[in-house]
Amino acid sequence: MNKPNRTTAIVLALFLGGFGAQKFYMGKPGIGILCLLFCWTGIPSIIALIELITYLVIGEKRFRDKYWKN
């Protein structure tokens, strides 16, 4: 599995977060499918906004430590 890039995760959460694109990219397809199923409610968009802020605030090193699974 490729290791996720922080910049790519930020862009996906910003533009396609309401559809769960960042979840698929980060290796969580189950949650990504749930986001697709509930995209009409707006809840995945709120979650994507929170994740976007999280990705922006944490640094590159903390992102790698948290999301790069060995």
Side-chain angles (χ1 to χ4, degrees), residues 2 14 16 20 48 61:
N2 291 335
L14 180 63
L16 297 171
K61 183 180 180 330

Side-chain angles (χ1 to χ4, degrees), residues 1 9 12-13 16-17 19-35 44 47-48 51 55 67:
M1 176 179 154
L12 287 173
L16 297 171
F19 300 106
Q22 77 280 9
K23 295 294 189 182
F24 288 107
Y25 178 70
M26 298 297 282
K28 299 179 180 179
I31 299 174
I33 291 171
L34 282 175
C35 289
I47 294 170
E51 288 182 341
Y55 297 155
Y67 297 108

Side-chain angles (χ1 to χ4, degrees), residues 2-69:
N2 291 335
K3 297 180 179 182
N5 183 333
R6 180 174 163 245
T7 305
T8 305
I10 289 169
V11 171
L12 287 173
L14 180 63
F15 293 112
L16 297 171
F19 300 106
Q22 77 280 9
K23 295 294 189 182
F24 288 107
Y25 178 70
M26 298 297 282
K28 299 179 180 179
I31 299 174
I33 291 171
L34 282 175
C35 289
L36 278 175
L37 291 174
F38 291 100
C39 67
W40 59 275
T41 65
I43 294 170
S45 296
I46 295 168
I47 294 170
L49 179 64
I50 293 168
E51 288 182 341
L52 172 66
I53 293 169
T54 303
Y55 297 155
L56 287 170
V57 171
I58 65 174
E60 187 69 36
K61 183 180 180 330
R62 284 192 61 201
F63 181 86
R64 284 192 310 260
D65 291 344
K66 186 172 182 176
Y67 297 108
W68 286 17
K69 307 282 191 256

